[in-house]
Amino acid sequence: GESVGLHLPTLSVQEGDNSIINCAYSNSASDYFIWYKQESGKGPQFIIDIRSNMDKRQGQRVTVLLNKTVKHLSLQIAATQPGDSAVYFCAERGGADGLTFGKGTHLIIQP
Amino acid sequence: GAVVSQHPSRVICKSGTSVKIECRSLDFQATTMFWYRQFPKKSLMLMATSNEGSKATYEQGVEKDKFLINHASLTLSTLTVTSAHPEDSSFYICSVTDAPTNEKLFFGSGTQLSVL
């Protein structure tokens, strides 16, 4: 399948600020997207998902935006906390190829 | 979401030995489990799809004889790294899908394998 990529490998934000992590995908047939958080030495943890028939979905302190026109996915984290430090992966599901993961963005929280 | 238990979390072994990693779905029966491999600061690479009661489906480039997968029950899949070598050192993670949509993946805590 086609790969999902990320714009930035590392994102540094001040504690309390909002974080925006971006993801570009290339498979126009993908109809389902997920964001995962992975802390060092642990398995990925599900954060939030969105289907292609939506353009926005909100969770607790997180919002995922989907722009199908430009094939762009973003994760917004409100009031970033130290515990948000992790690597964030986007993943897409396009047909029978299963989930394809992006390269990951390392979110660093500065005090 | 599904609860996935993976064991061991870390293993160090000598070159040439075999290592078995267990993945258990604790709260529902998983007919399909997935095994991923992850190198430092890299993304997850799907190795194989483990199917209960049948042979695993391996991704291109993954050696079937090197990475033996057994899915003997609906709650347990094992990955055995046979005759391990230093280049097999990696972080191995299993996952199960969220039935019945079969979309969302829930991951185990991962196993860090270090081959000396």
Side-chain angles (χ1 to χ4, degrees), chain B:
Chain B
V3 179
V4 183
S5 174
Q6 188 172 341
H7 178 80
S9 59
R10 179 178 293 272
V11 58
I12 301 172
C13 70
K14 293 182 179 180
S15 184
T17 60
S18 295
V19 175
K20 179 184 284 188
I21 302 169
E22 293 186 349
C23 180
R24 296 182 184 273
S25 175
L26 297 184
D27 56 351
F28 82 101
Q29 295 179 328
T31 56
T32 303
M33 294 185 181
F34 302 91
W35 287 96
Y36 286 83
R37 183 175 183 176
Q38 186 178 31
F39 291 104
K41 301 187 185 301
K42 298 293 185 182
S43 188
L44 288 80
M45 292 178 5
L46 180 64
M47 298 175 64
T49 301
S50 173
N51 304 298
E52 188 269 334
S54 65
K55 292 183 179 180
T57 304
Y58 289 83
E59 294 299 301
Q60 189 175 9
V62 178
E63 298 177 60
K64 300 178 182 180
D65 296 332
K66 161 67 77 174
F67 301 102
L68 299 179
I69 291 174
N70 184 282
H71 195 155
S73 77
L74 288 170
T75 58
L76 174 63
S77 176
T78 61
L79 168 67
T80 301
V81 183
T82 63
S83 186
H85 289 93
E87 57 266 30
D88 298 325
S89 298
S90 188
F91 193 57
Y92 294 89
I93 319 171
C94 69
S95 67
V96 301
T97 57
D98 177 34
T101 62
N102 211 38
E103 292 174 324
K104 192 180 306 176
L105 287 180
F106 294 96
F107 289 87
S109 55
T111 298
Q112 181 63 52
L113 172 63
S114 299
V115 185
L116 304 179

Side-chain angles (χ1 to χ4, degrees), chain A residues 42-86:
Chain A
K42 298 183 180 179
Q45 177 185 3
F46 171 84
I47 301 174
I48 192 167
D49 58 358
I50 188 169
R51 298 186 185 281
S52 60
N53 60 354
M54 303 173 66
D55 53 19
K56 179 178 181 179
R57 192 170 185 216
Q58 289 184 296
Q60 186 177 11
R61 274 202 313 121
V62 295
T63 301
V64 55
L65 299 177
L66 175 63
N67 185 330
K68 295 181 289 292
T69 302
V70 295
K71 297 177 187 170
H72 184 267
L73 188 71
S74 69
L75 175 70
Q76 299 179 3
I77 304 174
T80 311
Q81 303 169 357
D84 295 328
S85 290

Side-chain angles (χ1 to χ4, degrees), chain A residues 25-46:
Chain A
Y25 67 95
S26 55
N27 187 353
S28 57
S30 293
D31 62 356
Y32 180 64
F33 304 87
I34 311 175
W35 279 102
Y36 284 95
K37 172 186 180 182
Q38 185 179 26
E39 298 177 5
S40 181
K42 298 183 180 179
Q45 177 185 3
F46 171 84

